[in-house]
Amino acid sequence: MKYSDVFRVVIIAICVVFCAGCKSSSTQKETNVIHVDVKNASAYDISDMMDTSFFRVVALETAPECIVGGQIKDVFYRNSRIYVWEKQSKGIFMFDENGKFLNKIQSPGEGPEDYIEMSQVRITDDGIYIYDVPGRKVLCYDMDCNFHKVIYTSSVMEEIINPNFMWLVDGRMFFANLFMLEEANTVKKFGTPAYKVVSMDMDKKNVKYHLPYDIKSPTEPTTYFYLNNQSYKEIDGQVRFMTARTDTIWRATRDDVVPEYVLDFGEQHLPASMIKGEFNDIYENKEYDKYALIQKMYDTHRYVILRVKYENGKSSSVPEEIAQDPMKQREWLRKNRRTNICHVFIDKKTGESRAISNLSMSAFDRYNMMIENTDDPYIISYEYPLPPFFDKDGKRKPSFKRSNIRYERAINEAYEAFTLNSNPIITILKFKE
């Protein structure tokens, strides 16, 4: 039996056992094994996936009350409005699709309507939700950024350790703790079960616990190593997410959480010993960079999109004098091992995957692009007023000619008021429905 076949059998068995222990129950969709061949990733133009008749190029208004800082966490496009969540200013800024500033949420503090930390932001079609992890509460706003209410969560978190992630499905809140199994072990010593995910209605009723920790599982992570860049956005009453250091993509509905996809990277698959290993052991292991590591995950109505880092050719052996020092060894590998980044598109309808080494969108003259933000069905990017748009004297450089004349005109109009002190320009493109 081939390695990939053995892995497929083992991982499916683990998923079945894992889900069987959940308190909630529903009819489980069959878990699909997705084979991903990053070694043979090739260039691909995704123009055929895009609605080429739609685009928005928006220069956000720049004024003292709406200065967007340089640490944008996420951008949402809902009901012809643009919402920018920015970490440095600890705020959410709302603009119309022409870039005019409309309102904002910016209330750091310790009062009942304040947040200590804007840990997570989720925007649905009918509300804005801020999860304040240290404050153990969710602040709810309407789509105009007006405060509605606060939901304190500490009273229903007894069976979950340090919940750092939050999403919403059909008005139901889910909180996830996808790491620190050692703490879960401690809890178990006192006879209390520990779960990865807890969900509840907005009134904190109908509480359910999902995905119990399985200490004996060979692929259960034991330390802090989670995927910190995911969309967690509801699509057709579902939210997809990935657990810590494993390659299972889970599907959360209002009723349950079940495994939907298992990613098989073949020879580039992270071994179980590294999944189960301790934090320092993993990062000091000179072989670690050989394997495919998922950096980001986005969900759209048609595709699950992954950004994957993988080795792109073998480097020479680590010198013996450097191999004696784990820190020097890691630094040497970081400089000498050739790595690559690819995007993996999983087609939800067919279950097929495509690994793309150089992602392009010739319909909009975009090449070697990276997908940074999505808000189904949109791909959203942003550009700050920095080089290469300006020369050393702060004068704007002329943009290159584009084949899409309407798109070029929109870019030139947006860049007319673009200065070194401007808010960013937001570009919104759209997948085909």
Side-chain angles (χ1 to χ4, degrees):
M1 185 179 290
K2 295 181 179 179
Y3 166 81
S4 60
D5 293 328
V6 173
F7 170 79
R8 184 165 60 251
V9 171
V10 171
I11 200 68
I12 291 176
I14 291 169
C15 288
V16 170
V17 171
F18 209 38
C19 194
C22 300
K23 283 189 177 181
S24 57
S25 62
S26 67
T27 303
Q28 179 180 326
K29 179 180 176 181
E30 181 181 355
T31 305
N32 298 310
V33 176
I34 306 296
H35 300 279
V36 183
D37 185 3
V38 294
K39 283 290 188 179
N40 291 312
S42 58
Y44 188 74
D45 184 347
I46 65 170
S47 294
D48 60 335
M49 301 179 184
M50 308 305 297
D51 177 356
T52 55
S53 66
F54 176 93
F55 57 83
R56 299 284 187 271
V57 184
V58 184
L60 301 181
E61 178 183 348
T62 304
E65 65 271 19
C66 61
I67 298 298
V68 176
Q71 299 181 39
I72 292 179
K73 295 284 289 182
D74 208 345
V75 181
F76 304 81
Y77 182 56
R78 300 292 173 101
N79 304 322
S80 298
R81 292 175 175 178
I82 298 168
Y83 300 85
V84 180
W85 168 26
E86 201 278 322
K87 182 179 180 181
Q88 185 176 355
S89 58
K90 299 181 180 180
I92 300 170
F93 301 87
M94 179 176 67
F95 303 83
D96 66 18
E97 60 179 8
N98 295 315
K100 179 179 175 56
F101 172 66
L102 299 176
N103 204 354
K104 65 180 177 179
I105 300 171
Q106 196 171 27
S107 185
E110 298 187 13
E113 296 184 11
D114 301 332
Y115 45 82
I116 298 173
E117 179 182 295
M118 194 176 279
S119 310
Q120 300 277 298
V121 172
R122 304 291 171 237
I123 298 182
T124 67
D125 289 334
D126 57 5
I128 302 169
Y129 303 85
I130 297 174
Y131 181 33
D132 177 8
V133 171
R136 288 284 181 140
K137 61 185 178 182
V138 176
L139 294 98
C140 308
Y141 303 79
D142 64 21
M143 297 302 285
D144 294 321
C145 297
N146 299 312
F147 179 80
H148 175 49
K149 66 177 180 179
V150 61
I151 302 173
Y152 291 95
T153 61
S154 57
S155 61
V156 293
M157 294 298 186
E158 292 87 356
E159 298 187 58
I160 186 168
I161 309 299
N162 193 21
N164 278 359
F165 304 90
M166 186 268 287
W167 63 84
L168 295 101
V169 180
D170 193 20
R172 186 171 178 82
M173 298 184 294
F174 287 76
F175 299 88
N177 166 48
L178 306 180
F179 54 90
M180 292 297 188
L181 187 56
E182 289 181 347
E183 292 188 31
N185 267 319
T186 302
V187 174
K188 279 186 172 292
K189 289 180 180 179
F190 294 95
T192 305
Y195 291 85
K196 291 187 175 73
V197 178
V198 61
S199 65
M200 61 184 173
D201 292 333
M202 290 292 179
D203 56 3
K204 298 193 290 187
K205 295 180 179 179
N206 192 23
V207 178
K208 296 182 180 179
Y209 297 94
H210 315 267
L211 309 185
Y213 277 105
D214 183 1
I215 311 300
K216 297 180 180 179
S217 168
T219 58
E220 187 78 278
T222 56
T223 53
Y224 181 84
F225 190 89
Y226 65 95
L227 187 68
N228 59 356
N229 289 289
Q230 303 185 54
S231 59
Y232 295 108
K233 295 173 183 175
E234 180 180 350
I235 299 172
D236 298 327
Q238 304 173 357
V239 169
R240 290 172 178 83
F241 67 97
M242 296 191 70
T243 59
R245 211 191 306 155
T246 67
D247 296 323
T248 301
I249 298 177
W250 298 82
R251 176 172 55 91
T253 65
R254 180 173 176 81
D255 299 319
D256 210 348
V257 177
V258 296
E260 184 168 21
Y261 301 109
V262 172
L263 307 177
D264 181 1
F265 289 97
E267 294 180 356
Q268 278 69 52
H269 204 93
L270 195 65
S273 59
M274 290 189 182
I275 295 175
K276 191 74 174 178
E278 296 299 326
F279 182 84
N280 289 336
D281 293 340
I282 291 169
Y283 277 91
E284 290 172 3
N285 191 311
K286 65 181 180 180
E287 298 295 316
Y288 184 71
D289 288 343
K290 287 175 57 177
Y291 304 101
L293 301 176
I294 301 171
Q295 295 183 320
K296 295 190 177 185
M297 187 191 83
Y298 303 105
D299 193 15
T300 71
H301 65 285
R302 180 64 186 272
Y303 306 98
V304 175
I305 305 172
L306 309 171
R307 186 192 292 183
V308 181
K309 175 184 176 181
Y310 64 100
E311 187 183 63
N312 187 32
K314 294 182 178 180
S315 58
S316 57
S317 301
V318 181
E320 184 175 350
E321 63 275 14
I322 292 178
Q324 302 299 319
D325 187 325
M327 297 301 294
K328 290 182 179 179
Q329 177 176 275
R330 289 297 306 170
E331 185 62 28
W332 189 93
L333 288 170
R334 196 172 289 114
K335 292 180 179 179
N336 290 275
R337 177 162 280 151
R338 298 190 298 274
T339 60
N340 200 0
I341 302 291
C342 75
H343 290 84
V344 175
F345 281 68
I346 300 173
D347 192 317
K348 293 180 182 178
K349 291 185 177 179
T350 65
E352 298 176 349
S353 69
R354 178 189 291 273
I356 303 173
S357 56
N358 291 297
L359 185 67
S360 63
M361 199 186 301
S362 62
F364 296 100
D365 296 285
R366 299 170 73 91
Y367 302 93
N368 297 322
M369 59 180 291
M370 289 285 183
I371 295 178
E372 296 291 347
N373 298 82
T374 65
D375 193 9
D376 184 64
Y378 306 105
I379 293 177
I380 304 175
S381 60
Y382 51 87
E383 296 170 335
Y384 283 97
L386 297 171
F389 308 112
F390 296 86
D391 61 24
K392 62 181 180 179
D393 297 321
K395 296 181 179 179
R396 184 168 60 88
K397 295 180 181 178
S399 60
F400 66 89
K401 294 291 184 180
R402 292 173 168 82
S403 58
N404 188 321
I405 298 176
R406 290 176 55 245
Y407 182 58
E408 179 183 27
R409 186 183 303 121
I411 289 177
N412 288 335
E413 289 177 357
Y415 278 42
E416 277 301 315
F418 206 43
T419 71
L420 282 173
N421 297 315
S422 293
N423 272 336
I425 287 178
I426 304 293
T427 302
I428 306 172
L429 306 175
K430 185 181 181 181
F431 283 109
K432 290 178 180 177
E433 297 288 352

